[in-house]
């Protein structure tokens, strides 16, 4: 798995555990709907989107 896939997995775990606020919840759900766990699709994340995912993953 790539770093982006692992980070997204951690974000999804935090989402399921209810640790995210409403904005973070929508953000993670949007990324999951648009890209899923597809390695090639996740390459299209912008730098800011990836940094935001990393910050959200730290909550988990």
């Amino acid at each position: 798995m790539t770093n982006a896939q692992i980070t997204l997995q951690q974000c999804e775990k935090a989402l399921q555990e209810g640790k995210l606020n409403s904005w973070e919840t929508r953000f993670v759900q949007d990324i999951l709907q648009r890209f899923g766990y597809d390695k090639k699709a996740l390459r299209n994340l912008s730098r800011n989107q990836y940094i935001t995912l990393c910050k959200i993953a730290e909550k988990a």
Side-chain angles (χ1 to χ4, degrees):
M1 290 184 94
T2 64
N3 288 339
Q5 289 171 316
I6 293 168
T7 302
L8 185 57
Q9 189 176 37
Q10 292 171 341
C11 289
E12 186 175 26
K13 180 181 176 185
L15 175 67
Q16 292 172 352
E17 293 175 356
K19 294 182 178 180
L20 306 181
N21 63 34
S22 62
W23 185 87
E24 294 167 335
T25 299
R26 284 183 303 218
F27 182 79
V28 172
Q29 288 174 340
D30 182 54
I31 297 296
L32 285 169
Q33 287 176 354
R34 289 173 50 197
F35 302 108
Y37 284 100
D38 182 30
K39 180 169 55 173
K40 290 182 181 180
L42 287 172
R43 289 183 192 163
N44 294 323
L45 284 174
S46 71
R47 182 175 188 271
N48 286 335
Q49 287 173 317
Y50 182 70
I51 289 171
T52 303
L53 276 179
C54 289
K55 289 179 182 179
I56 293 171
E58 289 176 6
K59 285 186 160 189

